[in-house]
Amino acid sequence: MPAARSRAERFDAVVLEALEPIEARWRTELTQLDVAVDDVPDVAPSTSGEDDDVVEDGNVPLARLMQPGQDRRARIVLYRRPLEARAKDGADLADLVHDVLVEQVANYLGLDPDVIDGE
C-alpha cells in the first residue's frame, strides 16, 4: 500500500497540473523561468533593491516573481500555506493556483493575463 502523500506533495502536484497548460503554450518563452514553492513568504523585506512582482491577498503574499539577476534565473515562488488558507476545497485551490500562475507568467512576459490564459 503506497504511503499517503503529504499536504506539500499534494500542493506540488496541483502546481504542476496548473503549470502544464501554460508551459505547453508558452514553452519557448519560459525556458529561462523557474517555478518554486515555499511554505510561507519570507517576512523580511527584499534587500536586493529589485522590484519583485508580488501577488497579494490583503497584505499576505501568495506568490512572488523574482526577476533574473547576475547569478540567478527568473523565478516564480508560490507560497503554499497562504494559498491553501484561502481555498475552500481542492478545486478552489487548483483554480487559485492557476490564476496566480497566469498572473505571474503574464508579469514575467509583460503580457495581459488573458493572453496567457488563452481567453
Side-chain angles (χ1 to χ4, degrees), residues 42-88:
D42 185 357
V43 293
S46 175
T47 58
S48 66
E50 299 170 12
D51 292 327
D52 293 340
D53 294 311
V54 178
V55 174
E56 294 181 332
D57 180 15
N59 288 330
V60 179
L62 303 178
R64 170 170 277 129
L65 169 62
M66 299 167 56
Q67 298 296 338
Q70 282 184 316
D71 59 347
R72 75 170 190 215
R73 293 163 42 105
R75 175 179 296 164
I76 294 172
V77 181
L78 298 167
Y79 300 117
R80 179 179 65 85
R81 293 183 65 194
L83 286 162
E84 287 176 336
R86 279 149 185 79
K88 297 176 196 134

Side-chain angles (χ1 to χ4, degrees), residues 1 15 17 20-21 25-29 43 49 59-61 65-68 72 76 85 87-88 91 97-98 105-106:
M1 184 176 258
V15 170
E17 187 175 316
E20 188 176 336
R25 183 165 184 216
W26 297 95
R27 182 173 314 280
T28 305
E29 293 84 352
V43 293
N59 288 330
V60 179
L65 169 62
M66 299 167 56
Q67 298 296 338
R72 75 170 190 215
I76 294 172
K88 297 176 196 134
V97 168
H98 172 79
V105 168

Side-chain angles (χ1 to χ4, degrees), residues 14 17-18 87 89-99:
V14 168
E17 187 175 316
D89 55 32
D92 192 38
L93 178 62
D95 289 344
L96 180 57
V97 168
H98 172 79
D99 291 346

